Amino acid sequence: MDTTTRAAKIPSFHQTEINWDNLDKTKLYVVGAGMFSGVTVALYPVSVVKTRMQVASGDALRRNALATFKNILKVDGVPGLYRGFPTVIIGAVPTRIIFLTALETTKAASLKLAEPFKLSEPVQAAFANGLAGLSASTCSQAIFVPIDVISQKLMVQGYSGHARYKGGIDVARKVIKADGIRGLYRGFGLSVMTYAPSSAVWWASYGSSQRIIWSALGHWQNKEEAPSQMKIVGVQASGGVIAGAVTSFVTTPIDTIKTRLQVMDNENKPKAGQVVKRLIAEEGWKGLYRGLGPRFFSSSAWGTSMIVCYEYLKRLCAKVEEV
């Protein structure tokens, strides 16, 4: 009698959590690169709208997300919604490999570290996922920040007085000429302060909310009963939406400051404190939350799409093991 089967086929609730050791890494990276690139194509325009709103000045300050979207289409057409996209997609593959590796290895180690403390499932999940998200984001910033600087300059070129460029290479060349390599890491500290806590909050919120939902559905009491694939996707998607809402509210102010710093011309280099003072003077405290709507939508849509794809990818790449 054949005793082997895929881990994802095991009739147990534990198929919703597939550990790093049980994954085919090569398949995960190859299939994942294509899958996440597709999600990036679909959601990239939201990032462009958010960035335009965050650096807006003059009459553009009065535009909401929909008005900003329409203005981009009117002035630049559909290509305007994908400014800086080639740069982002090229950098996305190595960034994702680093991120996912750090995420899963840290999560596995954190779960073992938390075992002796006998924490509740939601708290244990929040701790392990949060620490994993923090570690993964911090490790991937070395590649992500230069890509972010270049893509954001391309997103806002010719808008509200910002310079125009011939492409990503032109941006990199001019930034390095003006500021050296460190110019590509402008806002690095704020990026770490934005994305690392953001990643920690997102993954902690996702891990804990998912377990709370499963508990409400009664699956923590009977872990040998396998939920349907539709129920698994539904719970994971709900967890993604909740995580997106919490994360966007907590981190939008820092993201707004970081974006303004990164897109400013080389001759105008205010400190973060000066940017905050200017924002508050011009718009009050609500200025720190410019682009909150698009950021919430982007965080929720990207996070939900990403987590559903990623969890499916993990089930798809689960190794064959003894039952």
Side-chain angles (χ1 to χ4, degrees), residues 258-311:
K258 174 192 70 69
T259 300
R260 290 217 167 197
L261 280 172
Q262 288 181 328
V263 301
M264 285 178 175
D265 294 333
N266 293 323
E267 61 269 19
N268 300 317
K269 300 177 183 177
K271 296 185 180 298
Q274 293 174 303
V275 173
V276 174
K277 289 179 180 178
R278 187 181 301 172
L279 266 172
I280 294 174
E282 292 176 354
E283 304 179 62
W285 288 99
K286 68 178 182 180
L288 294 173
Y289 280 90
R290 282 197 64 80
L292 175 62
R295 182 166 170 76
F296 165 68
F297 179 79
S298 177
S299 181
S300 295
W302 165 257
T304 302
S305 302
M306 180 274 296
I307 201 63
V308 170
C309 289
Y310 182 54
E311 297 284 15

Side-chain angles (χ1 to χ4, degrees), residues 145-273:
V145 171
I147 297 298
D148 199 31
V149 170
I150 293 170
S151 66
Q152 288 187 338
K153 281 184 175 292
L154 290 172
M155 285 179 191
V156 302
Q157 63 175 323
Y159 180 74
S160 291
H162 291 283
R164 286 190 173 276
Y165 302 95
K166 297 177 182 178
I169 294 177
D170 185 42
V171 174
R173 182 177 58 80
K174 289 180 177 177
V175 170
I176 293 173
K177 182 179 179 181
D179 295 328
I181 293 295
R182 69 177 184 176
L184 292 175
Y185 284 89
R186 179 187 285 186
F188 179 77
L190 278 173
S191 288
V192 173
M193 288 174 62
T194 301
Y195 292 112
S198 174
S199 181
V201 171
W202 196 96
W203 283 98
S205 301
Y206 171 73
S208 58
S209 63
Q210 187 185 187
R211 279 159 177 75
I212 291 171
I213 295 171
W214 281 126
S215 181
L217 294 174
H219 281 283
W220 283 116
Q221 287 71 41
N222 183 11
K223 293 188 178 183
E224 293 307 312
E225 179 186 349
S228 67
Q229 291 298 310
M230 285 301 295
K231 183 178 285 188
I232 291 174
V233 171
V235 170
Q236 291 168 345
S238 298
V241 172
I242 294 170
V246 173
T247 304
S248 57
F249 182 78
V250 171
T251 62
T252 291
I254 299 177
D255 185 59
T256 300
I257 298 165
K258 174 192 70 69
T259 300
R260 290 217 167 197
L261 280 172
Q262 288 181 328
V263 301
M264 285 178 175
D265 294 333
N266 293 323
E267 61 269 19
N268 300 317
K269 300 177 183 177
K271 296 185 180 298

Side-chain angles (χ1 to χ4, degrees), residues 136-149:
S137 181
T138 302
C139 290
S140 61
Q141 290 305 309
I143 294 177
F144 177 78
V145 171
I147 297 298
D148 199 31
V149 170

Side-chain angles (χ1 to χ4, degrees), residues 117-129:
F117 297 98
K118 306 299 181 183
L119 302 172
S120 66
E121 287 282 357
V123 173
Q124 187 181 57
F127 170 75
N129 282 269

